[in-house]
Amino acid sequence: MNYLQKELYELIKTDNAIFEFIQNNSLDGLWYWDLEKPENEWMNERFWEVLGYNPKDMPHKASAWQDIINKDDLAVAANNVKKHLEDPNHPYDQTVRYTHKNGQTIWIRCKGLAIRNAEGVPTRMLGSHQDITKLKKSENVLKHCNEEANIGFWDMNVSTQTITWSDITKKIHGVSLDYQPNLETGINFFKKGYSQDKITDLVFRALNHGEGYNEELQIVTQQGENKWVKVLGIPERNHHGTINRIYGTIQDIDALKKYQLKLEESEQAFRGNFENAAIGMALLDKHGKWLKVNQTLCDIVGYTSKEFYQLTFQDITHPEDLDSDLSLLNEVIEGKRDHYRMDKRYFHKKGHLVYIHLAVSVVRDDKDDVLYFISQIIDITQQKEQEQKLKRIIELTQDQNERLKNFAHIVSHNLRSHSGGLSALLSILKEDEPDYFENEIVKLLESSSDNLNETIEHLSEVVKINLSSKENFSLLPIKPIVDKQITSILPLAEKNRVNIINNINQDTKVLAIQAYLESIALNFITNAIKYRSKDRDSYLEINSLKNGKYTIIEFIDNGVGINLDLHSKKLFGMYKTFHKNKDARGIGLFITKNQIETLGGKVEVSSEINKGTTFKVFLRNEKD
Amino acid sequence: MKKINLACIIDDDSTHVYITKRFLDLTGVVESVLICHNGKDAFDKLKAIIVNGESLPELILLDLNMPVWDGWQFLDAFKTIPTKQKITIYILTSSNSEEDIERAKKYNMDSNYIVKPISLKELKNIVLDLA
């Protein structure tokens, strides 16, 4: 024995002050129990002070602390006393809970040693208290934290290959609290493939090389659910230097990992969209400095990304467009709007102008300050050029239209004037010198003049239709208009034995000009008479039916019919005739179609040779 | 049968002047015809008639498209001629444009609007109506 140790033992025996110092300063309580008179127990002052009581008020009786000890812990302690008294090798060592005078729980590690007489019978028992409340509280906090953070513990005994899992570890694996894992079953929880291969390798390295690990892997829970976990492994060597223990934690990071993966995915998507976008894209700081640009934008403006980062958007914006851009940008910075769009001009690196459509949106931080702007830029130079081209074409067309109008005027006025004069002169000549008209050439002159007049009459009619304005359209009842035309042509119809039946509804109205409606109706009626079949009783049936915003007027006859296979394309053309009828001039259908189209309608035809023809005239029945 | 002492043709086109004059002659009721080549010429000639204290034409056949003064300018100026005499004016023009017909309405002339060429029959009806 060390001489100092020996000296201290002697001092304790002889000097009470030494024992007092030890019992007051190194322990949180000392007790000495008379096993022969078990009601007697001496407790030192510190014993009671730790529990909040005044030692002077407390008797040296075992009963003094019976009411403030936790009943369950007391039972465990009593059992341990019994075992220790029977077998000195059974340690008396446990943690028990007392209730402090202020109601708090005090955790005490309580150790004891039986003192036996010469016969080995225990007569006294000496015990010590150590206040571990702080430690216990920290432990509780840690446990709570682990629960909150979903961190479980595990511990593997290498020699027995047994593993202990904490409750949270079991919860993470989705197993019951009485589940007993081993190395193999533990590894099998990791997802087959990368995760299982990786953990096998990590455990091998820990066992054989003492390497620790910290890895994010996937497990498959007992319920078959894939779950991301973070596993931490710490190998521990014994005094021989061999690994005898690996312990660590397992943390459920599934939600976090999934969120992270999603974020990565969306960041990647954004990056991909940004880099590969067919339109120019850029990130700019709030001063207009380019932070990031994609290749498309570089192509649009001719700068490399490096050159861009030395510039602001103000540098390349046309001065006339800058103010409106800046004022919109300021509205965004001030929070009055979160995006804007505008057409503006950039200067290409080579100096020429580039027209672009710009859409700017803002990304703000948690204090609502501008982090950066996202700009989307579409090159509309070609479109602008097309617009200008189109504008020029429209101007040219308008100009040509004006010329056409002038031409129309020439046709309808000057030409008519001259041809009218010619035919009047001929009629005067005929009056004065009727004999001249026996001459074949003069006769032909007269007929040419008549034909010229007629042609000009038709042309000027067509011109008039094409120049008419939609503002003059009004809703007109059709039936009376058609009736009027039938009446006017009745003698001709009767003479040719064509029965005309007007089935149009009394209240059917269409959007039209009265003169056009009259002309359209008259044309179809006279056509039906002209092209009647001489082999049978002829009829013309006129019906009306509503078809959405159109009203259809049908003219159905049983005449000679038209060979549509041959003539459908030129049926409504000018000076096209399809019959050998001597009255056929080939202008009526052309004018009629023009009139119908001017009214915003259309005409359809169906026909069968020697059976008859149906014209369907679609006319609008309401204003747009 | 009553006669028309004086009719007036205002037209710059000599062919039409000839035709119209021939037709007027053929009606057999027009005594004499005053020919003017445009609106201004007509206005001046009518003023001269007033100055001389003679009778103005009872019928005026007025073309629209003419140099110097067109038919409309003549109509405007004609209003200023002081007379109590009944004078019938017909517009006799090659124009059948909506624009001219609309304009004629404003002068209350739409029922006296004839598109050339006028036939002898038509002119006869007009003249006999007046005579």
Side-chain angles (χ1 to χ4, degrees), chain A residues 62-96:
Chain A
S63 58
W65 49 265
Q66 298 279 334
D67 290 338
I68 58 170
I69 190 168
N70 180 289
K71 293 289 171 267
D72 295 336
D73 297 350
L74 179 62
V76 174
N79 191 35
N80 277 340
V81 167
K82 200 177 155 212
K83 285 181 176 164
H84 176 65
L85 293 182
E86 285 164 7
D87 173 11
N89 289 327
H90 184 94
Y92 179 77
D93 183 354
Q94 70 268 299
T95 300
V96 292

Side-chain angles (χ1 to χ4, degrees), chain A residues 535-584:
Chain A
D535 307 337
R536 51 183 172 263
D537 288 341
S538 302
Y539 67 83
L540 168 67
E541 192 184 317
I542 309 168
N543 303 318
S544 72
L545 49 131
K546 210 176 166 194
N547 184 0
K549 59 180 184 176
Y550 288 102
T551 292
I552 304 171
I553 320 287
E554 287 178 331
F555 294 87
I556 307 168
D557 68 41
N558 65 343
V560 293
I562 306 163
N563 186 344
L564 289 177
D565 290 339
L566 285 177
H567 305 303
S568 68
K569 278 187 184 158
K570 44 187 185 175
L571 183 59
F572 294 100
M574 208 179 208
Y575 297 112
K576 307 288 181 195
T577 56
F578 317 101
H579 304 90
K580 295 193 173 106
N581 190 309
K582 64 179 170 59
D583 298 332

Side-chain angles (χ1 to χ4, degrees), chain B residues 6-22 24-25 30 32-46 49 57 59-61 66:
Chain B
L6 182 64
C8 175
I9 301 169
I10 310 173
D11 199 328
D12 60 319
D13 185 312
S14 52
T15 306
H16 282 285
V17 169
Y18 174 80
I19 294 163
T20 313
K21 174 147 191 326
R22 263 311 290 275
L24 283 174
D25 292 345
V30 178
S32 62
V33 177
L34 172 69
I35 293 165
C36 309
H37 301 292
N38 61 59
K40 177 84 170 67
D41 183 32
F43 183 69
D44 291 344
K45 281 176 175 158
L46 295 184
I49 288 172
L59 171 67
I60 296 176
L61 300 168
M66 291 178 292

